Amino acid sequence: MSEEQPTATTPAAPTPAPVPVSAPASSTGPQVQAQAETQEKSQTPLPDEPVVSLQELWATAKAHDHPEIWGVTLADPATHIPSQIVLQKYLNANDGDVAKARDQLTKTLDWRKEAQPLELIKQTFSKEKFGGLGYVTVYPAGGENKKDAAKEIFTWNVYGNVKSIDVTFGQLDEFINWRVALMEQAVQELNLSTATTPITADPDADPYKMFQVHDYKGVSFLRQAPQVKAASTETIRVFATAYPELLKEKFFVNVPAVMGFMYGFMKLFVAARTIKKFHPMSNGANLAKEDFGGSKVPLGELLPSEYGGKGPDLKTHGAEPAVE
């Protein structure tokens, strides 16, 4: 993001007396005129659009009575890098359209005020309903002892561990609360509240993102199940609104053909650019062979063996929302 202003130029010399109309035009006349127009334009300050846009979003956030997103207490993005990151993500998610970004930001603040996702992290959920269904794993470059090194964050949804549709998906609000708690747990690993490097308008250069894996191995429930359909639809709606530009890539592994209906729902709520990050795979053991966007972390070595890596399983290495 550049805040450089155009350098002031020396005023042009007085214009010579006009040449009579009947006189032939000088061969350099058009060049002189073009240079004068260029010089005049260079003296006109150009607005720093990214900064102006961020300030508009900050004004919207400041006027709202909920002050926080993803653990960041919002402040002036001109001086507070964590807020700059959060607000820039909303701009990037809407291709720089301030009006759309402002609308999404407002909806997020409204939702966070009502849902209180930071409190959901502290909540204990039913082990019978959600135990073993979701994990967060962190893979630092160079091993667990390199805490300041580059790292990759994964959220895992292991839907093959669902024992009963009615038990897990029967109470929609409870399922969404658990799913949000899992996401917020992963977002905390991004350390946004202490970030010191701002992001730009290029979403592909944004390092504050994570990978997601949805595993459908052993899934037996069909698309006709209304509880599953309702849970999928609401999860996609909430996440598309309240968690923009946090996804690097999303892998759907061990996907049975009957689950293809989920992609139809996603296309209704998720931007086309985001849909391109989705990768369905019939064999989860091939996950470790993926490039993962050229990650510097040797994920092929670190991922669980069930997914083609050489690392510990999710139950051993992963963290999940508290259950009992």
Side-chain angles (χ1 to χ4, degrees), residues 2 8 62 64 83 109 128 146 161 218 274 278 295 302 304 309 317:
S2 174
K62 188 163 52 173
H64 202 281
S83 295
L109 291 168
E128 179 187 10
K146 299 291 185 66
N161 287 342
T274 301
F278 293 176
S295 175
L302 300 175
H317 181 69

Side-chain angles (χ1 to χ4, degrees), residues 23 44 49 66 80 86 110 116 153 155 224 238 306 314 317:
T44 304
E49 292 185 0
H66 184 80
H80 190 239
V86 172
D110 290 343
Q116 294 294 314
I153 300 159
T155 60
Q224 287 86 354
V238 169
E306 182 178 357
L314 293 177
H317 181 69

Side-chain angles (χ1 to χ4, degrees), residues 66-137:
H66 184 80
E68 167 275 336
I69 292 180
W70 308 333
V72 174
T73 299
L74 298 175
D76 188 343
T79 56
H80 190 239
I81 290 177
S83 295
Q84 187 274 338
I85 294 170
V86 172
L87 297 179
Q88 186 65 54
K89 281 180 179 288
Y90 279 81
L91 278 176
N92 290 352
N94 292 280
D95 298 321
D97 188 314
V98 177
K100 291 181 179 179
R102 187 190 301 118
D103 179 66
Q104 185 174 6
L105 177 64
T106 300
K107 289 178 179 177
T108 297
L109 291 168
D110 290 343
W111 175 80
R112 292 188 75 86
K113 177 184 176 181
E114 179 181 357
Q116 294 294 314
L118 294 184
E119 293 301 314
L120 293 178
I121 299 178
K122 305 172 186 177
Q123 183 173 324
T124 299
F125 296 89
S126 167
K127 185 174 183 179
E128 179 187 10
K129 295 180 179 181
F130 307 112
L133 299 190
Y135 297 92
V136 175
T137 57

